[in-house]
Amino acid sequence: MISKGQIKLITSLQQKKYRDKTGLFIAEGPKVIQELVASGVRLHSLFSTETFEDASVTTTIVTAAELQKISALTTANTALAVFEKPEQTVPHYEGLTVALDAIRDPGNLGTIIRLCDWFGIQHLICSTDTADCYNPKVVQATMGSLARVTVSYVDLKEFLQNAEVPIYGAMLQGTNVYTAQMPTNAILVMGNESRGVSEAIQQQLTHRLTIPQFGTSKDTESLNVATATAILVSEFRRA
């Protein structure tokens, strides 16, 4: 059974100010929860409608109706866990690093975290006005990849100013990504969904990349930022 105090705490974690205040976040679904536990993220509490497969994890068995009360999903999964947020780590420049300039959509951020995991990018750098990676929608979209990708929030301009590697930016005008020569060590900057890379961050770029449009229609919308990230990162890995 879930107490009123637990319900109040868990539902409050849907808001960033309470996640920041408590240092906690929620994750839903056995797969996501298991991956976070296996990666060493500290578990605060776990609520499930059935016994959790990991016998070492203390589980509070609840009804589906009780789980729905605390879920951030329209239809609750079978389990919800509260975790402690990992400590912020110092960003590094080793290998390929992806940096996000004011990415606001939780779904885009979650997908980009999954892409980083898939392509072996261990560190994702976010501007302070990028969506919170512990937003329940982001956590859900990562499908467990948040456990394996370190996300750091920094003053992006200052971070790039101190970089000792080439800085590539995704732009509408730039070198064709399919003909460009990309290095192993670099930073790839992806810009805001509607405005692209901000002027202040553009000034820090050493190279500009573009994904050429092969279709002839002028009415075609620009690529979704997560889709563009996938294409660009794939080309870096091909190099």
Side-chain angles (χ1 to χ4, degrees):
M1 183 174 180
I2 306 176
S3 69
K4 291 182 179 179
Q6 289 173 319
I7 293 174
K8 183 178 180 180
L9 169 64
I10 295 167
T11 54
S12 74
L13 297 178
Q14 296 182 29
Q15 299 181 55
K16 185 178 185 299
K17 64 179 179 180
Y18 292 112
R19 294 194 295 271
D20 290 344
K21 181 179 180 180
T22 61
L24 302 172
F25 70 99
I26 61 175
E28 300 193 54
K31 180 183 185 299
V32 176
I33 294 170
Q34 186 59 55
E35 295 212 27
L36 289 168
V37 170
S39 296
V41 183
R42 295 186 63 179
L43 180 68
H44 177 275
S45 51
L46 172 62
F47 305 88
S48 178
T49 57
E50 53 194 38
T51 303
F52 205 64
E53 63 179 60
D54 186 342
S56 66
V57 177
T58 302
T59 307
T60 299
I61 301 298
V62 297
T63 66
E66 287 178 312
L67 197 62
Q68 189 64 60
K69 288 182 180 180
I70 58 175
S71 176
L73 303 174
T74 303
T75 302
N77 209 303
T78 59
L80 180 149
V82 179
F83 287 94
E84 297 180 15
K85 293 198 297 185
E87 292 184 8
Q88 175 95 358
T89 59
V90 178
H92 59 78
Y93 302 98
E94 184 179 354
L96 177 61
T97 300
V98 174
L100 304 182
D101 182 17
I103 299 301
R104 303 292 176 81
D105 182 80
N108 282 335
L109 177 56
T111 301
I112 290 171
I113 292 172
R114 286 181 66 184
L115 287 168
C116 287
D117 185 22
W118 181 264
F119 284 102
I121 298 168
Q122 298 179 349
H123 214 133
L124 177 65
I125 308 300
C126 297
S127 63
T128 54
D129 53 353
T130 288
D132 180 17
C133 68
Y134 298 110
N135 178 313
K137 292 181 180 179
V138 177
V139 176
Q140 201 68 23
T142 69
M143 295 301 292
S145 290
L146 184 60
R148 292 178 292 275
V149 177
T150 300
V151 183
S152 299
Y153 287 82
V154 302
D155 180 321
L156 186 56
K157 180 179 178 180
E158 181 179 337
F159 173 79
L160 296 176
Q161 285 176 333
N162 293 324
E164 298 177 352
V165 296
I167 303 170
Y168 289 76
M171 307 288 292
L172 289 177
Q173 301 296 326
T175 302
N176 184 334
V177 66
Y178 300 119
T179 59
Q181 295 295 316
M182 267 87 82
T184 301
N185 296 312
I187 297 171
L188 172 63
V189 180
M190 304 302 298
N192 177 269
E193 289 90 343
S194 60
R195 301 190 306 274
V197 179
S198 64
E199 185 61 38
I201 299 304
Q202 285 186 40
Q203 294 176 10
Q204 309 307 316
L205 302 179
T206 59
H207 300 76
R208 300 181 179 218
L209 291 173
T210 190
I211 301 169
Q213 179 183 354
F214 291 92
T216 57
S217 175
K218 295 181 179 179
D219 297 326
T220 305
E221 291 288 334
S222 60
L223 290 172
N224 170 278
V225 64
T227 301
T229 302
I231 294 170
L232 293 171
V233 169
S234 178
E235 287 300 307
F236 269 97
R237 286 308 192 214
R238 181 179 59 79

